[in-house]
Amino acid sequence: MPSGNLFTLVPVAVTTEVIPDDSISVLDHGFVRLDAAMADDLSVVNGARVSFARRREELDEADEGLIRFLMRDRHGTPFEHNAFRFHIRCPIFVAREWFRHRIGSFNEFSMRYAKATDDFYIPEPEDVRSQVGKPGSYSFEPVDPELAEHTREELQALYEAAYATYTRLVEQGVARELARSVLPVGAYTEFYWTVNARALMNFVSLRAAETAQREIRRYAEACEQFLAEQMPITYDAFLANDRTAP
Ligand SMILES: Cc1cc2nc3c(=O)[nH]c(=O)nc-3n(C[C@H](O)[C@H](O)[C@H](O)COP(=O)(O)OP(=O)(O)OC[C@H]3O[C@@H](n4cnc5c(N)ncnc54)[C@H](O)[C@@H]3O)c2cc1C
């Protein structure tokens, strides 16, 4: 992203410890906030009914049936006439998984232009886990309390050392874009994500699943709550369709 007035003049308080009131807290320093939405079940029905030059002002039972039919038979495009704009704060390793979802738009906090956050992810003791088995069929088991605490202490020590090096390099005149190389993927980042309900359901089906990494799963569950609030009939149909996106 280019530097210049457009970006330098906007006083966005990113990557601070502030958790906005209207957000769902996730992990130790993260959140999911629905910044804005243009989303309702009626748009699904009207997207489909335009085929017959029909339009509804309000949903009735037949429309609810239509939404269930569209979901079941995977007529996906009527679920695209809406938008959810999320504001998210998460560890970099979660964002990396998130950004693999190509159907949607992202803008992320820049560690070239702004100072990196000193917030880093430290899992709760019960989230420190072992990894057993083979790729595709791992199981994640709790570890004993001593190892959980030791892991948390190791992470804390590493984060402090990394951030101290980062700060020292920046103070010595090294560009932020280079000094950031020392920061681990447990550092928090922040981004906006705009996505339609079809791609959001695909994200939720993959990332709120048992097979997804626990940390991104928590974020996907938060996004899922907003989907359920904004488009309840669509959401029910998604559940009835075994959480398969159309
Ligand atoms: C549990 C899990 C483990 C994973 N492990 C790995 C891994 O080890 N390595 C790795 O690289 N990735 C991994 N991924 C990422 C995965 O491969 C996908 O990149 C990611 O889940 C995005 O899914 P998507 O393509 O369906 O989503 P989106 O990119 O949002 O796409 C949505 C849908 O649009 C369509 N679409 C989008 N782009 C195209 C295209 N170019 N051509 C055709 N159709 C398209 C598809 O129908 C797609 O399902 C993993 C994901 C999960 C959930």
Side-chain angles (χ1 to χ4, degrees), residues 8-224:
T8 51
L9 288 178
V10 181
V12 186
V14 287
T15 64
T16 60
E17 181 54 74
V18 178
I19 306 285
D21 289 343
D22 54 350
S23 62
I24 298 175
S25 291
V26 188
L27 305 184
D28 50 351
H29 303 291
F31 62 78
V32 171
R33 185 172 75 82
L34 185 63
D35 189 49
M38 179 190 73
D40 59 19
D41 292 312
L42 196 57
S43 66
V44 180
V45 167
N46 284 330
R49 291 208 185 279
V50 74
S51 303
F52 307 99
R54 299 261 169 78
R55 180 182 154 72
R56 297 276 204 225
E57 293 294 332
E58 277 179 32
L59 286 178
D60 64 16
E61 264 181 43
D63 296 323
E64 295 184 15
L66 174 61
I67 289 176
R68 286 192 290 276
F69 160 76
L70 294 169
M71 187 77 69
R72 196 177 55 241
D73 280 32
R74 306 199 66 199
H75 294 291
T77 48
F79 297 96
E80 296 174 8
H81 299 288
N82 54 74
F84 293 75
R85 187 170 69 228
F86 289 107
H87 177 196
I88 289 136
R89 191 162 194 269
C90 67
I92 289 171
F93 70 85
V94 171
R96 278 199 63 173
E97 294 185 340
W98 209 311
F99 294 171
R100 296 300 308 279
H101 292 262
R102 295 156 291 181
I103 310 302
S105 302
F106 295 92
N107 276 95
E108 189 187 8
F109 167 69
S110 170
M111 280 200 265
R112 291 188 73 197
Y113 306 127
K115 190 162 186 254
T117 175
D118 59 355
D119 285 331
F120 294 91
Y121 173 55
I122 297 193
E124 293 299 319
E126 60 272 22
D127 285 330
V128 180
R129 56 209 183 253
S130 67
Q131 181 168 358
V132 206
K134 291 188 286 197
S137 61
Y138 286 124
S139 74
F140 298 91
E141 310 295 342
V143 297
D144 62 61
E146 291 76 32
L147 179 56
E149 207 41 52
H150 173 69
T151 304
R152 285 159 50 83
E153 287 165 9
E154 288 268 29
L155 284 170
Q156 181 70 40
L158 183 279
Y159 290 150
E160 282 174 14
Y163 199 74
T165 304
Y166 169 80
T167 307
R168 202 162 51 244
L169 290 174
V170 170
E171 284 171 1
Q172 287 166 355
V174 175
R176 287 172 178 148
E177 67 180 16
L178 188 59
R180 66 175 167 178
S181 316
V182 301
L183 295 176
V185 292
Y188 272 81
T189 187
E190 202 162 312
F191 62 91
Y192 282 87
W193 179 46
T194 299
V195 65
N196 66 48
R198 187 185 190 185
L200 179 58
M201 285 186 274
N202 182 58
F203 173 82
V204 166
S205 75
L206 292 169
R207 299 300 187 175
E210 287 273 313
T211 43
Q213 178 163 346
R214 190 174 302 180
E215 283 76 14
I216 197 169
R217 206 189 317 160
R218 302 249 166 89
Y219 283 89
E221 286 163 0
C223 292
E224 184 171 347

